Amino acid sequence: MERLRMRKMVGIIGASEAGDETRRLAEKVGRLVGQAGAIVVCGGLGGVMEAAARGAKSEGGLTVGILPGNDRQDANAYIDVVIATGVGYARNAIIARTCDCLIAVGGQYGTLSEIGLGLAFGKRVVGLSSWALERGIVRAASPEDAVEKALAEPLPAGEDR
């Protein structure tokens, strides 16, 4: 149990409806996070979230889905631990707070809110084909680059880490 508690938690965030290339990137990121032994945390639904969880599971990784709704059955098939919050987009704050770092792959406005919350909470946020912000977000050129930058030490010191 102690081993699980010490593993890094990486939020992989992005849109529930994503194109083929974005899903491919997300799956590769998930696979690399799984290979690194970190836990994938996502919104638990489709698109980027499903692709990332599928990638992590292909490497034997552990996945956590923090759902916006009340029904655990809404989680995609690759989620191991389902948390049905019933709080809609407010669940983005739970995702951002739970993770040690976040990787945004593509994304819509929900992803932008997770990026902003992650930065406000002092978390490292890496963007891969995602929002181009003037400051705060670390840009990545590839899935490998994104995971390397997300897991680089030291992680920023958040107020409650």
Side-chain angles (χ1 to χ4, degrees):
M1 189 59 127
E2 185 65 25
R3 220 178 86 219
L4 259 181
R5 291 178 57 193
M6 298 308 295
R7 287 169 62 183
K8 285 202 171 52
M9 298 183 86
V10 179
I12 302 178
I13 57 177
S16 60
E17 293 184 21
D20 292 343
E21 177 61 13
T22 301
R23 287 193 317 271
R24 184 190 69 73
L25 291 171
E27 185 168 350
K28 178 73 177 200
V29 168
R31 187 173 317 133
L32 293 167
V33 169
Q35 286 173 359
I39 298 169
V40 168
V41 178
C42 67
L45 300 176
V48 164
M49 299 168 275
E50 182 173 18
R54 180 174 49 247
K57 293 307 300 171
S58 74
E59 295 297 326
L62 179 64
T63 60
V64 176
I66 301 177
L67 304 179
N70 292 314
D71 191 348
R72 291 184 299 164
Q73 299 301 317
D74 291 341
N76 71 62
Y78 306 99
I79 298 297
D80 296 311
V81 179
V82 180
I83 301 169
T85 66
V87 298
Y89 280 116
R91 70 79 144 83
N92 292 351
I94 298 168
I95 293 169
R97 180 63 80 187
T98 297
C99 299
D100 295 302
C101 55
L102 296 112
I103 300 173
V105 183
Q108 300 293 328
Y109 292 124
T111 309
L112 182 59
S113 76
E114 289 169 302
I115 290 169
L117 288 163
L119 293 173
F121 296 152
K123 307 298 174 90
R124 178 177 296 146
V125 180
V126 177
L128 177 62
S129 296
S130 189
W131 291 86
L133 301 180
E134 195 170 299
R135 61 190 175 125
I137 194 167
V138 177
R139 307 301 305 158
S142 68
E144 294 82 2
D145 187 37
V147 173
E148 181 179 325
K149 287 177 176 175
L151 294 176
E153 294 293 340
L155 288 173
E159 60 188 3
D160 60 342
R161 295 184 46 183

